[in-house]
């Protein structure tokens, strides 16, 4: 997207002078313009709504999805799209939507086409559809290609004043209670300020009627955001401290009143858990466990802890007892089941929780055993680094963050060396047996056989794909031709 400055410099509270280009159409690439023109001819009039419209108005890069609303029925939209050559259109995630995948590398990657939402007895119009949206900055629509911008709830003003406000107050939440959680997500995503009354309404909302998979999907979006800013962390803390958060994760809310006993400086398990969450580094390389699932594991790993005694000074803890660890595993597993995590994701998260006692000063034998079990040891070490750093924050003097970082670096180096050593081939792994080699070389058994096998092992270690009968036979012939046996 071309760089344009449409926002006024004057950001004083009050009425903000809003400036729009003559047409938003020129912001889109020619490819997208042609696509939207074609869709408008087939199923129009079509209106841009949602994230793509916010992106354009804020001069941001386009997100993954491009959202349109149209007055036609879904069946009629699908019929016309098929006639127009869009045969890969499918039903969307929402009941009133279709999804058109785009075969392109850059964003957007999909077009969501939805019909107007409306109340019984009320005519379906653009304004009526916007009335059923969650926050005002999402309750705007732009008629493709040249406008106008439909903004019945002052969303553009809120967007430029960096404010998050519900479209219709409490009634917006009654229509879909999950919007209370979405309110917090947009505070984080847009770095905005909430309307105070709407924030209070969202804090007090309960999601008992919302399915676990919808709650989990929304929280996944929350935990996929950049949470580096202090304001973002404050909103997360407020979310789970509120009635809304206590209903979503009551097991986590109970940690607010649990402490680790320490005559010098008792500390809250709640503070420890959230500091562990904030201490998690962004991955430096591709890992088996994603940052999102790391965050879930750190949020859930101490759910079963009661008031616990402080570890001995010499122990690089905190390490829960076996009973506490068992309770944490059981409780976390129930939460993952309630929120309908996939079996694969739940298994990855539970691996971190179950192995949370792995120390940064891990011994070589224990390290090799974990590697041989197929456990993601590098991820376990990073998980432990976050926990120890959190302990240093809630109990200064017990650990030095610099020492923790150095222990982690050393453990990672040793782990990678151990993994390379454990992955080395031996003569028994060769696709040619000792008998095969004897038949090819036609010499009596002797020291030459071990030398040949060692040479072949070194060769296939450079590329495991070489460990096949034909390539190995060619190497043996080369070995013989060079008179290596003699």
């Amino acid at each position: 997207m071309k760089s344009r400055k449409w926002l006024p410099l004057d950001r004083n509270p009050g009425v903000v002078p809003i400036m729009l280009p003559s047409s938003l159409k020129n912001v889109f690439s020619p490819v997208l313009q042609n696509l939207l023109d074609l869709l408008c001819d087939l199923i129009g009039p079509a209106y841009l709504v949602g994230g793509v419209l916010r992106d354009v108005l804020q001069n941001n890069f386009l997100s993954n999805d491009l959202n349109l609303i149209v007055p036609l029925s879904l069946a009629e939209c699908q019929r016309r799209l098929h006639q127009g050559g869009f045969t890969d259109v499918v039903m969307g995630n929402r009941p009133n939507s279709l999804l058109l995948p785009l075969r392109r590398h850059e964003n957007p990657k999909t077009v969501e086409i939805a019909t107007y939402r409306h109340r019984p007895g009320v005519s379906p119009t653009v304004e009526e559809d916007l009335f059923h949206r969650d926050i005002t900055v999402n309750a705007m629509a732009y008629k493709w290609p040249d406008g106008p911008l439909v903004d019945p709830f002052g969303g553009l003003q809120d967007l430029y004043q960096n404010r998050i406000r519900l479209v219709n107050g409490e009634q917006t939440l009654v229509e879909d209670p999950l919007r209370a959680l979405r309110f917090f997500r947009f505070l984080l995503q847009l770095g905005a300020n909430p309307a105070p009354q709407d924030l209070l309404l969202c804090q007090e909302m309960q999601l008992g009627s919302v399915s676990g998979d919808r709650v989990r999907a929304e929280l996944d979006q929350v935990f996929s955001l950049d949470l580096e800013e202090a304001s973002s962390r404050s909103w997360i803390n407020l979310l789970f401290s509120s009635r809304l958060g206590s209903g979503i994760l009551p097991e986590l809310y109970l940690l607010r009143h649990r402490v680790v006993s320490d005559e010098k400086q008792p500390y809250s398990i709640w503070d420890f858990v959230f500091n562990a969450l904030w201490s998690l580094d962004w991955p430096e390389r591709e890992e088996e466990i994603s940052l999102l699932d790391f965050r879930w594991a750190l949020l859930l790993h101490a759910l079963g802890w009661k008031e616990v005694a402080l570890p001995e000074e010499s122990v690089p803890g905190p390490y829960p007892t076996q009973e506490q660890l068992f309770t944490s595993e059981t409780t976390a597993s129930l939460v993952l089941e309630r929120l309908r995590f996939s079996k694969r994701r739940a298994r990855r998260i539970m691996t971190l929780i179950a192995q949370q006692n792995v120390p940064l000063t891990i011994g070589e034998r224990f390290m090799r055993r974990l590697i041989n079990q197929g456990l993601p040891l590098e991820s376990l070490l990073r998980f432990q680094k976050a926990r120890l750093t959190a302990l240093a924050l809630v109990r200064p003097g017990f650990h030095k963050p610099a020492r923790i970082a150095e222990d982690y670096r050393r453990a990672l180096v040793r782990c990678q060396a151990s993994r390379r050593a454990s992955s080395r081939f031996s003569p028994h792994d060769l696709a040619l047996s000792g008998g095969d080699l004897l038949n090819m070389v036609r010499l009596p058994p002797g020291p030459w056989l071990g030398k040949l096998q060692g040479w072949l092992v070194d060769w296939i270690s450079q590329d495991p794909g070489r460990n096949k009968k034909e390539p190995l036979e060619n190497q043996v012939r080369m070995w013989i031709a060079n008179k290596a046996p003699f």
Side-chain angles (χ1 to χ4, degrees), residues 360 385 389 392 399-409:
L360 294 183
K385 177 178 180 285
T389 304
H399 282 306
K400 299 292 185 184
R403 174 191 161 193
I404 294 168
E406 179 61 19
D407 286 346
Y408 169 71
R409 186 193 66 80

Side-chain angles (χ1 to χ4, degrees), residues 6-7 71-72 84-85 90 93 151 205 256 269 289 292-293 306 308 353 355 365 400 411 415 425 433 464 471:
W6 301 333
L7 303 189
L72 300 175
V90 296
N93 296 324
D151 181 19
M205 201 64 195
R256 290 171 56 84
I269 302 177
I289 300 178
L292 173 61
D293 288 344
K306 312 298 182 189
V308 295
I353 294 174
Q355 301 292 334
R365 182 177 297 179
K400 299 292 185 184
C415 172
F425 290 94
S433 67

Side-chain angles (χ1 to χ4, degrees), residues 114-159:
T115 59
Y116 295 163
R117 288 176 288 186
H118 62 96
R119 289 164 288 183
V122 179
S123 299
T125 63
V126 174
E127 291 81 358
E128 174 66 11
D129 178 89
L130 299 178
F131 176 81
H132 294 282
R133 295 184 176 265
D134 46 13
I135 56 177
T136 57
V137 296
N138 286 340
M140 298 182 285
Y142 183 84
K143 187 177 180 181
W144 185 263
D146 298 315
L149 179 72
V150 183
D151 181 19
F153 305 104
L156 190 60
Q157 191 79 27
D158 286 338
L159 187 66

Side-chain angles (χ1 to χ4, degrees), residues 335-441:
V335 170
L336 296 175
E337 183 178 350
R338 186 175 73 233
L339 295 180
R340 299 185 184 178
F341 278 75
S342 69
K343 291 182 179 179
R344 177 176 295 181
R345 286 190 66 194
R347 186 164 54 250
R348 287 196 294 259
I349 293 169
M350 289 305 300
T351 295
L352 292 174
I353 294 174
Q355 301 292 334
Q356 62 179 276
N357 282 351
V358 172
L360 294 183
T361 54
I362 182 172
E364 292 295 333
R365 182 177 297 179
F366 188 28
M367 181 179 290
R368 286 196 298 271
R369 190 175 77 189
L370 294 179
I371 290 174
N372 292 335
Q373 290 175 357
L375 293 174
L377 185 54
E378 292 88 348
S379 297
L380 295 176
L381 293 172
R382 196 156 74 89
F383 187 75
Q384 184 66 306
K385 177 178 180 285
R387 297 176 69 245
L388 292 177
T389 304
L391 182 63
L393 293 173
V394 297
R395 190 170 182 263
F398 186 60
H399 282 306
K400 299 292 185 184
R403 174 191 161 193
I404 294 168
E406 179 61 19
D407 286 346
Y408 169 71
R409 186 193 66 80
R410 290 178 178 176
L412 203 58
V413 170
R414 289 169 49 234
C415 172
Q416 292 167 349
S418 182
R419 192 177 291 281
R420 285 194 299 269
S422 65
S423 63
R424 278 188 58 83
F425 290 94
S426 72
H428 296 290
D429 298 316
L430 292 172
L432 289 179
S433 67
D436 294 331
L437 296 176
L438 289 171
N439 290 335
M440 287 190 67
V441 179

Side-chain angles (χ1 to χ4, degrees), residues 9-161:
L9 296 177
D10 182 10
R11 287 252 182 155
N12 293 328
V15 178
V16 176
I18 297 172
M19 299 182 291
L20 289 174
S22 57
S23 174
L24 297 185
K25 177 177 181 178
N26 298 325
V27 176
F28 293 88
S29 68
V31 173
L32 281 177
Q33 288 186 39
N34 292 337
L35 172 66
L36 289 169
D37 286 342
L38 180 55
L39 290 175
C40 202
D41 289 341
L42 290 172
I43 59 175
Y47 289 81
L48 295 173
V49 292
V52 68
L53 184 54
R54 285 199 321 271
D55 292 337
V56 168
L57 293 173
Q58 290 187 302
N59 196 30
N60 291 335
F61 291 107
L62 297 182
S63 54
N64 285 332
D65 304 316
L66 191 154
N67 301 92
L68 299 175
I69 55 173
V70 295
L72 300 175
S73 68
L74 281 189
E76 181 63 14
C77 279
Q78 197 163 26
R79 186 186 69 79
R80 294 189 183 189
L81 288 170
H82 281 182
Q83 286 183 343
F86 295 100
T87 56
D88 50 354
V89 65
V90 296
M91 293 300 297
N93 296 324
R94 295 185 295 161
N96 68 322
S97 68
L98 296 171
L99 204 62
L100 176 63
L102 303 179
R103 293 183 176 87
R104 58 204 311 269
H105 296 294
E106 65 274 16
N107 287 345
K109 294 184 175 64
T110 59
V111 178
E112 185 185 64
I113 302 163
T115 59
Y116 295 163
R117 288 176 288 186
H118 62 96
R119 289 164 288 183
V122 179
S123 299
T125 63
V126 174
E127 291 81 358
E128 174 66 11
D129 178 89
L130 299 178
F131 176 81
H132 294 282
R133 295 184 176 265
D134 46 13
I135 56 177
T136 57
V137 296
N138 286 340
M140 298 182 285
Y142 183 84
K143 187 177 180 181
W144 185 263
D146 298 315
L149 179 72
V150 183
D151 181 19
F153 305 104
L156 190 60
Q157 191 79 27
D158 286 338
L159 187 66
Y160 288 168
Q161 288 188 328

Side-chain angles (χ1 to χ4, degrees), residues 259-267 308-311 313 395:
V259 298
V260 174
S261 301
D262 177 7
E263 293 180 359
K264 297 179 181 178
Q265 189 177 3
Y267 60 86
V308 295
L310 191 72
E313 295 290 330
R395 190 170 182 263

Side-chain angles (χ1 to χ4, degrees), residues 282-309:
W282 285 82
E284 299 177 0
R285 62 190 67 82
E286 185 176 344
E287 294 190 19
E288 181 180 337
I289 300 178
S290 67
L291 177 71
L292 173 61
D293 288 344
F294 259 111
R295 285 174 166 173
W296 271 108
L298 285 168
L299 198 69
L300 304 180
H301 82 279
L303 293 187
W305 290 19
K306 312 298 182 189
E307 287 198 11
V308 295

